[in-house]
Amino acid sequence: MCQIDLNKYLEYNKQWAAETLASQEGYFDNLKEGQSPKALLLGCSDSRVSPSKVLGTDLGDLFIHRNIANLVSHTDLNFLSVMQYAVENLGIKDIIVYGHYGCGGIKTAYENNNNGLIDNWLATIKDVIRHHKAELNLIADENERLNKLVELNVLEQIQNIKQTSVYKKAIAKGEKINLHAWVFDFSTGLVHDLKKKYNIVPATA
């Protein structure tokens, strides 16, 4: 395997910083004043699904947490801390679970082989598989079945968010937290809103 020259990223950064300042005077000074992101996004760590690239966001637009297969685990203090800070400190009212078709974590969980440590993390997806086994078995094509599992997993993580202490506390205080279920499609470059696709009303998901 040939070695990649990471210095190209630093060179790009210098060019980007110079061009940004040239077109937007005071841009970085404004960033130093603090952040007020519009939404919290929970995405997959996959290198091909960068939210800023796909969604065209600017610095400061999204508060982002990424992990393998965009999971909400009730033992994951990392994500729960991110969510608490987003809701209670930044005042964020919109949370996006952002999955993608062709997810390696989903495929690995579905194949159910012995993969070592990561199997502990993927157990959450295996629960989704077990709960929807009959529905998944009706899909003959494996790729379509995995795509369906990607969608089911995103929707399940929405439900998991609802069970967190952070969400329940916000709702008990009369705050409205809007939950969004999105999936990125490599074949088209489009992001699909699963609530619209399945006609899910906001009150239930």
Side-chain angles (χ1 to χ4, degrees):
M1 180 182 294
C2 61
Q3 187 173 357
I4 299 174
D5 183 10
L6 297 182
N7 287 322
K8 68 177 183 179
Y9 299 129
L10 297 177
E11 291 302 318
Y12 170 83
N13 170 253
K14 291 179 183 178
Q15 180 180 347
W16 169 80
E19 291 176 352
T20 299
L21 279 177
S23 62
Q24 303 178 63
E25 185 178 353
Y27 179 83
F28 297 112
D29 289 332
N30 292 333
L31 285 180
K32 288 191 298 183
E33 295 301 317
Q35 61 173 324
S36 53
K38 301 174 180 64
L40 165 63
L41 183 143
L42 168 61
C44 182
S45 298
D46 193 303
S47 62
R48 302 165 295 172
V49 295
S50 170
S52 58
K53 191 75 170 179
V54 172
L55 302 174
T57 59
D58 199 358
L59 298 181
D61 285 347
L62 293 176
F63 200 59
I64 297 176
H65 180 85
R66 298 172 71 177
N67 60 44
I68 294 175
N70 43 269
L71 299 182
V72 177
S73 170
H74 297 292
T75 60
D76 181 9
L77 296 182
N78 192 340
F79 171 70
L80 295 176
S81 298
V82 167
M83 182 178 170
Q84 181 179 25
Y85 188 80
V87 173
E88 298 181 5
N89 294 79
L90 297 176
I92 286 176
K93 304 300 182 187
D94 289 275
I95 301 176
I96 305 163
V97 178
Y98 170 68
H100 66 97
Y101 300 127
C103 180
I106 294 291
K107 187 173 188 293
T108 299
Y110 178 78
E111 292 173 345
N112 199 31
N113 295 320
N114 185 359
N115 300 286
L117 181 64
I118 195 174
D119 286 334
N120 297 284
W121 180 257
L122 299 178
T124 299
I125 304 173
K126 294 178 182 180
D127 287 339
V128 178
I129 295 171
R130 186 175 70 255
H131 294 155
H132 298 275
K133 185 176 181 179
E135 181 180 1
L136 291 169
N137 286 342
L138 291 175
I139 304 173
D141 182 80
E142 183 171 302
N143 286 329
E144 291 183 11
R145 194 182 312 134
L146 289 172
N147 285 345
K148 182 66 174 182
L149 180 54
V150 164
E151 295 178 347
L152 291 171
N153 180 61
V154 168
L155 293 172
E156 189 68 22
Q157 303 322 306
I158 293 290
Q159 298 305 317
N160 286 345
I161 287 176
K162 289 183 175 181
Q163 298 306 314
T164 64
S165 58
V166 177
Y167 180 87
K168 289 183 176 181
K169 180 180 177 182
I171 297 303
K173 292 170 59 178
E175 299 177 8
K176 183 179 180 181
I177 305 296
N178 304 304
L179 303 179
H180 308 271
W182 293 359
V183 173
F184 176 58
D185 187 345
F186 287 128
S187 65
T188 63
L190 298 177
V191 175
H192 302 288
D193 184 340
L194 296 185
K195 287 186 179 181
K196 291 182 179 179
K197 180 175 180 178
Y198 293 109
N199 295 317
I200 299 173
V201 296
T204 61

